[in-house]
Each structure stands twice: as C-alpha cells, then as structure tokens.
C-alpha cells in the first residue's frame, strides 16, 4: 500500500516532505503535484523506479523522461545549452514547460533517449515539488501521471491513492493541480520546436 501524505500546497510541512524524500532515496516511486498536473517520480539512481514508471504508463524507449530540477544551476548540469537556449529557457523558468535537450554525462545513459541521447528537463513553479527536489538534493526522474487509456491525468491525491495504491510507494496530496501537462519544447536541432502545447504559453518559443 502507498503511504498517503497530505501536504499543504503553499507551505509544505518539512516532516512530510522528508518522508516523501525517504521513499525516493529508498528506490520507491511516488505521485506528487506540479504546476501542470500530478507526476510520477523516482530517484535518478533507481533503475527499478524508472522501469516501474515505464510499466505503469506503458512507455517504450522512445519516451523522453523528464528530470525535474530545483533551479537553473541544477538544470544546467544535465543538458547542453547554447547562449540562445540559455537565455530563453532561463526566462521561462520556473514554469509549466519541459525542454528536450542533449544530455550531459551527468545523466545516466539509461535515462536518455536511446538514439538521440537527449532528455527532458524542467523547473516547476510549485512549492511542494520544489521542496521535494531541494530536500532530495538532486533532480527527480519524472513522467506525467497520465495512465494508459485515460484522456486526462488524475487530479486528486485521494483518487491516485485509490486507483494506484499497489503500484506506488507514496502519494503526496496537495490538492487539485489541474489536468493540463507541460508545454514541451524540443531544442535538440539548435532551435526551439514546440512539440506539445500545454500549460505554458507556446508562442514565446515560436
């Protein structure tokens, strides 16, 4: 059964944040809120956690995992940024955007795209997500909590607990955080390409 953590959405309790981080450090998988929708999260070092997320969402090796970061300095260690990408991405973060870029050697090979050696990165504008990443001390390996066959992500922590109780190790409930996933911008060609329109304004990258 998944541990249920009822966290304040604006002022997350440190004790509960620490419990969520303990689950991640132990190799577990959590559901947690972001500024776009709930996400599944695991430690970057947990091969089992990544595989469990793949199985839950029926993902193949072409799927870009997202590394959720606490700040721009952390993001910059994971991906290669030229000057144009640096300026544009820094101006849009934190916010509901995922950026796909070439991964640095800091990213484990198994987490990058099998052929392109790219990875998604983002900095959410959500107090709970940021508190968890900061307490963990490294990015969270994440994927939107959109289950196979569902048109929309689940929006309530109790619903996630009810439906995925035996598939997760913890559910961090901070209330409804919406159903719209991030806007995804692919920068691997050297110029931004909006590949999914979502919660973030896509026009700034066109």
């Amino acid at each position: 059964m998944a541990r249920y953590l009822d966290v304040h959405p604006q002022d997350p309790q440190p004790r509960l944040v620490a419990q969520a981080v303990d689950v991640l450090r132990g190799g577990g998988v959590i559901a947690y809120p972001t500024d776009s929708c709930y996400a599944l999260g695991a430690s970057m070092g947990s091969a089992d956690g990544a595989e469990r997320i793949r199985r839950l969402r029926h993902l193949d090796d072409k799927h870009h995992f997202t590394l959720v970061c606490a700040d721009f300095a952390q993001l910059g260690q994971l991906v290669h940024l030229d000057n144009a990408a640096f300026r544009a991405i820094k101006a849009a973060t934190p916010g509901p955007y995922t950026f796909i870029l070439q991964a640095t050697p800091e990213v484990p090979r198994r987490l990058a795209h099998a052929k392109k050696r790219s990875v998604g990165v983002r900095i959410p504008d959500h107090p709970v997500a940021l508190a968890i990443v900061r307490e963990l001390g490294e990015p969270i390996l994440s994927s939107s909590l959109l289950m196979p066959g569902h048109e929309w992500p689940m929006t309530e922590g109790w619903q996630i607990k009810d439906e995925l109780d035996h598939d997760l190790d913890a559910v961090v409930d901070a209330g409804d955080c919406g159903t719209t996933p991030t806007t995804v911008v692919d920068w691997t060609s050297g110029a931004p390409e909006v590949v999914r329109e979502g919660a973030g304004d896509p026009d700034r990258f066109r």
Side-chain angles (χ1 to χ4, degrees):
M1 291 178 59
R3 187 181 306 181
Y4 181 75
L5 305 173
D6 188 6
V7 179
H8 192 282
Q10 298 300 323
D11 189 19
Q13 305 92 317
R15 174 180 58 85
L16 299 181
V17 170
Q19 289 183 34
V21 168
D22 284 346
V23 171
L24 291 171
R25 287 178 176 154
V29 174
I30 69 171
Y32 71 102
T34 76
D35 54 347
S36 56
C37 57
Y38 275 88
L40 298 168
S43 164
M44 284 177 60
S46 175
D48 180 64
E51 185 55 35
R52 285 172 62 189
I53 292 174
R54 286 188 194 276
R55 287 199 305 267
L56 270 172
R57 290 208 52 209
H58 296 182
L59 303 174
D60 58 25
D61 61 2
K62 297 181 178 64
H63 176 75
H64 277 101
F65 276 116
T66 298
L67 299 177
V68 174
C69 304
D71 52 38
F72 199 81
Q74 197 174 66
L75 182 151
Q77 295 175 356
L78 303 171
V79 290
H80 295 287
L81 295 165
D82 61 23
N83 288 337
F86 179 94
R87 288 193 299 270
I89 294 172
K90 188 169 177 50
T93 55
Y97 294 93
T98 298
F99 300 98
I100 300 172
L101 296 124
Q102 294 300 123
T104 69
E106 295 290 318
V107 178
R109 182 169 293 276
R110 60 183 171 76
L111 301 183
H113 188 281
K115 292 183 178 179
K116 297 180 180 179
R117 185 63 188 146
S118 50
V119 71
V121 289
R122 89 181 205 85
I123 306 170
D125 189 13
H126 194 288
V128 177
L130 291 175
I132 294 171
V133 182
R134 287 169 181 150
E135 178 70 16
L136 182 62
E138 65 179 30
I140 300 174
L141 173 70
S142 290
S143 184
S144 298
L145 209 173
L146 179 59
M147 299 303 292
H150 289 214
E151 184 176 358
W152 302 104
M154 286 180 273
T155 62
E156 299 286 355
W158 63 264
Q159 180 191 16
I160 297 168
K161 163 75 170 166
D162 187 53
E163 295 192 23
L164 300 178
D165 198 21
H166 298 288
D167 296 308
L168 301 175
D169 299 292
V171 175
V172 181
D173 186 354
D176 188 340
C177 57
T179 60
T180 308
T182 57
T183 291
V184 178
V185 183
D186 189 330
W187 220 296
T188 55
S189 68
E193 178 188 357
V194 177
V195 295
R196 182 180 74 192
E197 293 190 18
D201 180 7
D203 289 342
R204 67 191 302 165
F205 294 104
R206 288 184 169 136

